[in-house]
Amino acid sequence: MSMLGLPDFEALAMVARVADERSYAGAARSLGVSVATVSRAVARLEEKLGGRLFNRSSRRLALTDLGRGVAERAARVLWEAEEAESSARELASRPRGTVRLAVPMSFGLRWVAPLLPDFFRAYPDINIDLHLSDASVDLIGEGFDAALRIAVLEESSLVARRLCPMRRMIVAAPAYLARYGRPQHPGELTAHHGLGYAYRARGDVWRFTGPAGETVAIAPSGPLRVTNVDALLPTLLEGMGLAELPEFIAAEHLAAGRLEVVLPEWSITPGGLYFVTPTARNRPAKVQALADFLAARLSNPGGRRP
């Protein structure tokens, strides 16, 4: 019987773990206690509740109806307790350690690298291992703590925090449009020099939605295909092709008149900038600090959208 009439939190935690592991031995290993300790705790709670929590007739334990209800609530209690301890530990110590962060190259050079001095001033005990590549890395397999991704994010086991929208557009230099004409419909792009990008999430295809909701998909065909969007710019600016660019790269050239938007009445599925981590549970303080910093600075960087 627990002291002062309090719930038997220890026994509840052990029941939750036994239910999760379907084994006394597995629960004992995960909790770092003996099988006998787990067995006594379960028996103690069964006696207190006046009913069996597990059927032991099969090789693996099976929950009774009573056990299922208790285990579900006990799991929530255990999770809340773990979260409370984790939060307390984070508050008690300054975020420290190394964060391995993967970022698309062009965006990383333009937007993330310039923010790092301010981040290091705010968090002098955090180091950043910055991996710049347009290739989509396997966060878990390659040991990354987090990544910034520019995408129309699909379902995955990763946890994504959207920082801001990220528009894309088809652009060309005035010289290209003067020589080859200005397309009036996405279907006409098949006859144009479309510069390609190798790491597009759903293949090298440009997908349009028209004013009336109609959709068109075009595979660009032209003299250049790259693994980094910045590598398109010299050929693009020389008027030798048109390309799909993210707004954060195209904006300065559009403002200066070096590029023009093609098919402005047709929209390309808008993506977003996401801070992605393998899991939200037990996220280290160093990763949470970086996530909050980037969210604050990149949600509206410099009063502009990237």
Side-chain angles (χ1 to χ4, degrees):
M1 184 66 67
S2 56
M3 294 175 59
L4 303 176
L6 289 172
D8 192 341
F9 290 113
E10 181 183 69
L12 286 167
M14 291 187 182
V15 166
R17 200 55 59 87
V18 171
D20 196 40
E21 299 281 345
R22 287 293 196 276
S23 157
Y24 280 17
R29 275 194 304 273
S30 71
L31 293 167
V33 298
S34 69
V35 175
T37 298
V38 174
S39 180
R40 282 196 301 269
V42 173
R44 192 168 71 233
L45 194 56
E46 286 181 329
E47 182 181 355
K48 183 178 182 181
L49 298 176
R52 299 187 73 82
L53 301 176
F54 300 97
N55 286 321
R56 299 165 178 81
S57 56
S58 60
R59 289 173 61 88
R60 286 169 64 81
L61 294 179
L63 287 160
T64 64
D65 287 341
L66 173 63
R68 192 171 297 109
V70 170
E72 287 176 1
R73 290 172 173 80
R76 286 199 293 272
V77 170
L78 180 58
W79 185 84
E80 291 287 353
E82 288 173 343
E83 288 292 296
E85 285 191 358
S86 176
S87 297
R89 279 195 299 270
E90 289 180 14
L91 288 171
S93 63
R94 293 171 64 181
R96 64 180 64 247
T98 298
V99 178
R100 296 196 71 222
L101 177 68
V103 181
M105 183 171 288
S106 294
F107 187 83
L109 291 172
R110 280 176 169 81
W111 286 102
V112 179
L115 296 178
L116 294 182
D118 283 350
F119 180 79
F120 293 135
R121 276 191 283 269
Y123 297 99
D125 297 326
I126 298 180
N127 305 321
I128 293 180
D129 182 350
L130 185 63
H131 177 89
L132 293 170
S133 172
D134 286 8
S136 183
V137 300
D138 177 358
L139 263 66
I140 298 170
E142 298 180 46
F144 283 95
D145 297 297
L148 286 177
R149 288 192 176 161
I150 298 170
V152 180
L153 213 61
E154 298 176 358
E155 289 295 318
S156 78
S157 60
L158 302 175
V159 178
R161 177 178 179 178
R162 192 171 189 265
L163 303 186
C164 68
M166 193 67 73
R167 290 178 57 216
R168 308 185 73 87
M169 57 200 70
I170 304 298
V171 294
Y176 178 89
L177 298 174
R179 181 176 180 183
Y180 295 104
R182 184 182 294 274
Q184 300 301 311
H185 186 278
E188 298 174 23
L189 293 174
T190 54
H192 282 263
H193 302 300
L195 308 181
Y197 177 58
Y199 289 132
R200 204 174 307 280
R202 295 187 292 164
D204 196 10
V205 177
W206 298 346
R207 302 172 193 275
F208 299 87
T209 302
E214 64 271 43
T215 59
V216 180
I218 299 296
S221 175
L224 179 64
R225 188 165 181 261
V226 301
T227 59
N228 175 258
V229 177
D230 269 308
L232 294 173
L233 287 173
T235 302
L236 185 64
L237 292 169
E238 283 293 318
M240 300 177 73
L242 41 74
E244 182 191 281
L245 291 185
E247 187 179 16
F248 76 87
I249 290 179
E252 63 178 290
H253 301 290
L254 293 170
R258 293 187 291 269
L259 293 175
E260 297 179 19
V261 176
V262 177
L263 301 169
E265 66 277 13
W266 287 77
S267 65
I268 295 173
T269 305
L273 174 68
Y274 295 87
F275 186 89
V276 182
T277 53
T279 176
R281 286 204 61 189
N282 300 321
R283 181 180 290 166
K286 61 186 180 181
V287 176
Q288 189 62 52
L290 180 59
D292 292 343
F293 177 86
L294 292 177
R297 298 297 292 270
L298 293 177
S299 293
N300 190 18
R304 297 163 291 156
R305 295 288 186 193

